[in-house]
Amino acid sequence: MSGAGARLNVFPTRQNLQVMKVKLVGAKKGHSLLKKKADALTMRLRNLLRSILEAKEAMGTAFKEGNFALSEVKYAAGDIKPIVIENVSSAQKRVETRIDNIAGVKVPVFKAVDKADAVSFDHTGLSKGGQQIAKARTTFSKSVDVLVQLATLQTSFVILDEAIKVTSRRVNALDTVVIPRIANTVAYIKSELDELEREEFFRLKRSQDKKKAEIHKKEAERKAMLEAAEVPEAASMIAAAPDKDVVFDAARRAAHGVREGSRVLVEAPPHAGCVDGTLLGDLRLLGSANRKLLEVAASFTMFASSMV
């Protein structure tokens, strides 16, 4: 599956973002290490290939010399095969194995060693052909050493070739699948978090604007209530116009009407108990409901008459 556009199914949170970042760093570091490992194994494989070619050439030469020496032995001493098989009890060469580590890959290393307690009492060729038999023994001993070395190189070559294939597959998988997928996941989480931050900022801004509008509205209502509840200041007693004395003015008008002979008032007899009989005649005409007011008006009329 291609890594382009693919991502991991994770919930977009800051914790998952940190986890994905750590994974991305680890994947890149692993990719770098595996790439270096693949390069080291490839370089070692090329060196092994050169050594294998040289070992094969040496093995060809050694076996050619061995076969030529064996031909000389057969010519000088005849067929010595039954005699050799009869006299050999144990091998004079042993193969030791150790493990070599090449960039994390374990490869076996073989080495041919001569047996220390092996003492040869072989009297083959004592009568004839002894020199050719000793030469053939030495030639074939060298051939065994070359063969063991070639076996080590071939085994290491096969193991390293398989390790390079596995490492290359891992490098390609990290490069084309894992790293792009994690990178896409990180980008997705970042975009979602940015979108959430923008939504939160817009929500807070709308809420702040709404609160400001409510505050302005309440302030306007409070000002309107204060203006409606304000009491007008009292006017100055000096600057204000004098109040009209309604009762005094009515009395003066009544007195003026008596002196002028108004048609509204009727003349009262002089025995009414008042200086001005005309005003008492008005009292009888207006009725008992307004007597007190008219009596007050009469007293003011008397006072006004005396002042005039």
Side-chain angles (χ1 to χ4, degrees), residues 167-208:
T167 306
S168 299
R169 284 196 295 266
R170 290 178 180 177
V171 170
N172 293 333
L174 286 173
D175 192 17
T176 59
V177 178
V178 178
I179 293 178
R181 185 175 296 177
I182 297 176
N184 292 333
T185 304
V186 171
Y188 163 73
I189 294 176
K190 284 184 178 180
S191 64
E192 290 295 324
L193 291 178
D194 292 341
E195 184 67 23
L196 290 176
E197 288 181 359
R198 286 192 292 269
E199 291 178 359
E200 184 69 14
F201 176 76
F202 181 74
R203 186 185 66 81
L204 292 176
K205 189 174 181 181
R206 288 291 300 273
S207 177
Q208 189 176 7

Side-chain angles (χ1 to χ4, degrees), residues 57-187:
E57 291 178 358
M59 185 185 65
T61 303
F63 274 94
K64 182 177 68 173
E65 293 177 355
N67 289 328
F68 186 73
L70 182 60
S71 299
E72 289 180 350
V73 168
K74 287 182 178 181
Y75 178 78
D79 189 10
I80 61 172
K81 182 176 180 181
I83 301 174
V84 171
I85 293 175
E86 182 180 355
N87 292 330
V88 171
S89 59
S90 61
Q92 294 182 358
K93 285 185 175 291
R94 298 292 178 90
V95 177
E96 293 181 354
T97 305
R98 62 182 179 87
I99 302 299
D100 192 9
N101 193 345
I102 303 174
V105 180
K106 295 180 179 180
V107 295
V109 177
F110 307 117
K111 183 180 180 181
V113 294
D114 293 328
K115 196 174 181 181
D117 56 349
V119 181
S120 177
F121 296 101
D122 188 13
H123 301 290
T124 306
L126 185 60
S127 59
K128 57 179 179 180
Q131 185 178 0
Q132 284 77 13
I133 293 175
K135 182 180 177 181
R137 181 184 291 111
T138 304
T139 304
F140 277 102
S141 179
K142 292 180 180 179
S143 300
V144 170
D145 293 338
V146 174
L147 188 62
V148 171
Q149 182 184 2
L150 183 60
T152 301
L153 296 175
Q154 290 278 19
T155 306
S156 299
F157 183 85
V158 173
I159 294 175
L160 288 180
D161 184 53
E162 187 66 25
I164 289 174
K165 289 180 181 178
V166 174
T167 306
S168 299
R169 284 196 295 266
R170 290 178 180 177
V171 170
N172 293 333
L174 286 173
D175 192 17
T176 59
V177 178
V178 178
I179 293 178
R181 185 175 296 177
I182 297 176
N184 292 333
T185 304
V186 171

